[in-house]
Amino acid sequence: MTLFRKSRSKGDLQQEFQTTVRFLDDSEPIQLPFTKETLGQYVLDKVCDSLNLVEKDYFGLRYVDAEKQRHWLDPTKTVYKQLKGVSPCVLCFRVKFYPADPMKLHEEITRYYLFLQLRRDLHHGRLLCSPQDANLLAAYIIQSEVGDYDPQDHHPNYVTEFKMLPSQNQQQEQQIHEIHKTLVGQVPAEAEANFLKKASSLDTYGVDPHKVKDQKGNQMYLGVTHQGIMTFHGSRRTQIYKWSQIKKLAFEGKTFIAHVNINEKHQPIGYKCLTVAACKYLWRCAVEQQFFFTLQNSFNTPKVRSGGSLFSRGSKFRFSGRCQNEAYIASEDIKRKEPEFQRTCSLPNFARKSDSRLHARNSANLSISEDKGGRGYKENAVDVPRSAVSTESPKVQVPKLGEDVIVAEEMTQVRAGTAYAAAPDMSKQNGGIPIIVTGPSADISREDTSLPYDPEETVYEQDDDDKIAKSLEEQVMDLEKEFQEMQDKNHVESGIQGRNNPSVESSNSQSVSRAAKKGGCSCGKIVAYTFFSLFLTLTVSACVVMFSDIDHPIMNEARNQLSFLEPTRDFLRHQLDNLLSKLKK
């Protein structure tokens, strides 16, 4: 598939670019065309239409720039402007706003894509929880994919083939197997609903961690959710600032600042981010999440600005789209019949191996189609860190890295008894920054789950055709190269015609000359010429005002305004008189 198409309009080449869109189930990516005027909302609508999603307010498209900084595609800005400099030109369909109550989502297809997102979060350690909770969630995943446990269909090590946890070990797999045996009778939709209910009750539900440092330079993480802003130190949640406490969000350079009310006292709390871009991204995410979950309606949402300085206007942001309250109301008005969709299986070979009667029994009560042989989960696109891949089973191939897999240092491993601790006393403050209580050191063993949290480095897997999506700059270069080839070809053809018809040659040479003159001046030169002309005009005007003896109210007022130039005028007059006197001699 070509990365661009061309069309002719009034003799000019109209550019149309394409971006690759990846999905939550790692199915076949799609190519979406866009032009320089295409807004981000148009692309998001196209993606949701391809998935048959109506409740689209909770989803977004994310990309990673050349500096490995993540961004959400802004629906109100052009795609071209946002993806310029992004290589490869890839957008990833992800959940942007995790609903406070997943069961309030009206359609099952919407809940299914939320389930896929949370499955990824559990896989990467973003859905941080105790080993017991992780094992239960993993058992729900297996129940959804393969149905009831049957010793005739499931060999002793079948759980090993499913990579669901950041660091999966044999003891965990045995516990997952025992839990799976107790879930008999749960159809996929029911297992996924139980998964959502359990996941939404966890402290780290919907947390997209941002790496920061406190005032003492201690590394920690900030998570922004429907509840507010949370702080994590190591693998423990240490504090939460609810949206009702947060009065203002701002950033200055690399410092993210939350103005909160603590014990009826206003207090700014700051955290240092790794880069200015990371701080700006954190600020935008926090503001957008706060508006989405706290506004009753999105009419006349305020425009917020922050990050300004003497040499910078800062960054401004205005919330677009519907808030959660409006999304809930809109969901109640959905009248269409529940759409049919195909669930995907992370191990297609495993699914085909199972007895067909098993799947018929598990799908008997479903109102949706469950064809696991359809749009299947590609094993070579599973989003999993290399260190987390187990090669003990010969049936499992090492997958390629996915969109949001990040090679990062692992957080402290903890047992279930010390996985979470109570929030520290808010009276213990140091310069406005909460003192993080780390507690006693935990006993680290192989039985515990390692918890990699924030991704740091994004690596893209190759497409099935072994071609990496090109960036916009590469597409522009290809277009310019093709356009140049077309010009050379037309020039040769016009040269041949010109020898037969001199008037044609003259017309073509004049057109080329005009084109060269038109394109010969760069944007930088235009700006320089503009400033020089403006400076020259102002200088001449000032000289006319200061050296003329015209008696007019406007000229007199202008002289009063330019009175600070009188010493310069007197000096120039003195030098001019000296020069004239020398010339007379």
Side-chain angles (χ1 to χ4, degrees):
M1 182 178 292
T2 58
L3 290 175
F4 58 86
R5 295 194 299 269
K6 59 181 182 296
S7 60
R8 302 287 292 183
S9 176
K10 297 182 180 180
D12 295 329
L13 191 65
Q14 299 296 325
Q15 297 180 1
E16 188 173 274
F17 308 93
Q18 289 205 8
T19 178
T20 301
V21 180
R22 303 190 187 278
F23 297 99
L24 284 166
D25 57 0
D26 290 317
S27 59
E28 185 72 21
I30 65 172
Q31 301 284 334
L32 279 182
F34 64 93
T35 64
K36 289 186 176 181
E37 290 76 27
T38 302
L39 297 179
Q41 186 64 51
Y42 174 82
V43 177
L44 179 60
D45 290 340
K46 283 292 184 182
V47 173
C48 291
D49 291 343
S50 69
L51 298 175
N52 203 12
L53 270 175
V54 174
E55 298 174 283
K56 61 182 80 171
D57 302 282
Y58 307 95
F59 301 92
L61 296 171
R62 195 167 64 192
Y63 63 94
V64 182
D65 64 18
E67 303 299 326
K68 303 302 180 183
Q69 175 60 51
R70 290 180 294 173
H71 301 274
W72 288 105
L73 190 70
D74 192 329
T76 63
K77 297 180 180 179
T78 62
V79 180
Y80 181 85
K81 182 178 180 180
Q82 297 179 75
L83 295 187
K84 193 173 183 180
V86 175
S87 180
C89 189
V90 175
L91 296 172
C92 296
F93 179 76
R94 297 291 183 261
V95 173
K96 188 176 184 180
F97 304 106
Y98 292 73
D101 184 1
M103 304 316 295
K104 283 190 176 181
L105 299 177
H106 182 77
E107 295 192 322
E108 186 174 338
I109 187 173
T110 314
R111 296 193 294 270
Y112 176 68
Y113 281 106
L114 177 60
F115 164 77
L116 292 179
Q117 177 68 71
L118 289 169
R119 186 171 71 177
R120 297 175 76 94
D121 294 346
L122 178 68
H123 193 114
H124 296 294
R126 290 188 292 268
L127 188 60
L128 193 64
C129 57
S130 66
Q132 288 86 346
D133 290 336
N135 295 340
L136 177 59
L137 294 174
Y140 284 136
I141 293 174
I142 293 182
Q143 179 69 21
S144 171
E145 291 208 10
V146 304
D148 294 344
Y149 170 74
D150 191 328
Q152 296 180 355
D153 296 304
H154 305 128
H155 58 81
N157 295 324
Y158 74 102
V159 178
T160 305
E161 300 188 14
F162 294 88
K163 301 304 170 186
M164 300 164 289
L165 305 178
S167 182
Q168 204 166 293
N169 56 64
Q170 187 174 1
Q171 182 176 351
Q172 282 183 304
E173 292 165 357
Q174 181 60 34
Q175 294 172 354
I176 295 171
H177 166 68
E178 295 298 330
I179 298 175
H180 179 214
K181 292 194 296 185
T182 66
L183 303 179
V184 176
Q186 292 189 17
V187 297
E190 185 179 357
E192 292 160 7
N194 291 330
F195 179 96
L196 293 177
K197 292 176 183 176
K198 181 61 181 177
S200 61
S201 68
L202 300 175
D203 291 336
T204 52
Y205 167 71
V207 169
D208 186 15
H210 302 261
K211 182 180 289 186
V212 297
K213 291 183 179 180
D214 62 13
Q215 192 180 34
K216 295 182 178 180
N218 299 320
Q219 180 176 301
M220 57 193 303
Y221 294 90
L222 290 186
V224 185
T225 71
H226 67 278
Q227 300 181 60
I229 298 178
M230 303 177 180
T231 62
F232 293 86
H233 191 276
S235 59
R236 300 165 57 249
R237 193 183 80 173
T238 54
Q239 189 56 261
I240 176 173
Y241 305 107
K242 296 186 177 182
W243 292 127
S244 59
Q245 295 178 279
I246 299 175
K247 302 306 178 184
K248 182 182 177 182
L249 297 170
F251 77 96
E252 297 178 2
K254 297 181 181 180
T255 304
F256 172 76
I257 306 171
H259 297 264
V260 299
N261 282 342
I262 301 174
N263 297 329
E264 299 182 354
K265 293 182 179 180
H266 177 80
Q267 181 174 348
I269 302 177
Y271 302 94
K272 181 77 74 173
C273 298
L274 298 180
T275 63
V276 175
C279 190
K280 180 180 177 180
Y281 172 69
L282 171 58
W283 173 74
R284 289 178 64 91
C285 288
V287 171
E288 196 167 16
Q289 294 276 335
Q290 184 182 31
F291 282 157
F292 181 82
F293 290 110
T294 60
L295 292 178
Q296 292 301 309
N297 61 74
S298 57
F299 298 108
N300 298 323
T301 54
K303 181 186 293 185
V304 293
R305 183 188 295 271
S306 186
S309 63
L310 180 62
F311 303 101
S312 174
R313 296 179 58 189
S315 178
K316 59 182 179 180
F317 173 78
R318 170 167 286 175
F319 178 76
S320 62
R322 293 185 291 202
C323 61
Q324 180 180 240
N325 184 58
E326 293 172 322
Y328 280 158
I329 296 174
S331 296
E332 296 174 356
D333 295 333
I334 297 177
K335 304 300 182 182
R336 70 171 182 172
K337 182 181 177 181
E338 279 282 353
E340 295 184 352
F341 64 95
Q342 296 177 344
R343 283 176 166 81
T344 58
C345 182
S346 57
L347 295 174
N349 295 332
F350 187 92
R352 286 194 295 268
K353 179 180 62 178
S354 301
D355 184 71
S356 59
R357 291 174 300 176
L358 175 68
H359 297 287
R361 181 172 69 251
N362 291 326
S363 303
N365 297 326
L366 279 179
S367 60
I368 61 177
S369 172
E370 186 189 3
D371 180 12
K372 293 186 179 181
R375 192 163 162 242
Y377 223 61
K378 292 182 177 294
E379 190 173 1
N380 65 345
V382 176
D383 201 353
V384 55
R386 297 184 188 275
S387 60
V389 176
S390 172
T391 57
E392 297 177 358
S393 174
K395 298 181 181 179
V396 181
Q397 299 178 358
V398 177
K400 297 178 183 178
L401 291 176
E403 171 267 340
D404 53 353
V405 175
I406 306 207
V407 181
E409 61 179 7
E410 295 189 351
M411 296 171 63
T412 308
Q413 297 177 339
V414 293
R415 293 186 180 274
T418 58
Y420 299 107
D425 185 1
M426 286 304 299
S427 62
K428 298 178 180 180
Q429 303 291 334
N430 182 15
I433 306 299
I435 300 176
I436 306 302
V437 181
T438 58
S441 60
D443 179 23
I444 301 175
S445 64
R446 183 68 183 91
E447 289 77 10
D448 292 328
T449 304
S450 62
L451 303 168
Y453 214 44
D454 183 278
E456 300 234 352
E457 180 180 355
T458 302
V459 182
Y460 294 90
E461 78 273 18
Q462 291 186 346
D463 296 330
D464 294 336
D465 57 358
D466 294 329
K467 294 181 180 178
I468 296 293
K470 292 186 178 181
S471 65
L472 291 183
E473 283 71 15
E474 293 171 326
Q475 295 183 44
V476 171
M477 291 177 63
D478 290 343
L479 284 169
E480 291 178 348
K481 183 178 180 180
E482 183 171 343
F483 182 66
Q484 184 64 37
E485 291 175 355
M486 293 175 60
Q487 278 189 324
D488 295 341
K489 182 178 178 180
N490 293 335
H491 183 70
V492 172
E493 293 177 354
S494 63
I496 296 175
Q497 296 176 0
R499 285 193 292 269
N500 299 327
N501 190 349
S503 62
V504 174
E505 182 178 7
S506 176
S507 176
N508 290 335
S509 62
Q510 292 177 3
S511 299
V512 173
S513 177
R514 285 195 299 269
K517 292 179 180 179
K518 183 178 180 181
C521 188
S522 64
C523 180
K525 291 182 179 179
I526 292 176
V527 174
Y529 291 153
T530 302
F531 276 104
F532 177 75
S533 302
L534 181 61
F535 174 76
L536 184 62
T537 302
L538 293 175
T539 302
V540 172
S541 301
C543 291
V544 171
V545 170
M546 298 302 297
F547 287 93
S548 66
D549 296 328
I550 300 176
D551 187 12
H552 190 275
I554 296 179
M555 295 294 289
N556 295 334
E557 179 65 24
R559 291 189 188 96
N560 293 333
Q561 295 296 329
L562 297 176
S563 58
F564 63 91
L565 293 178
E566 291 180 357
T568 304
R569 179 196 61 185
D570 296 338
F571 174 77
L572 293 176
R573 281 182 173 177
H574 179 71
Q575 295 296 328
L576 181 61
D577 292 341
N578 291 338
L579 179 62
L580 292 175
S581 62
K582 290 181 180 179
L583 291 176
K584 289 180 180 180
K585 293 180 180 180

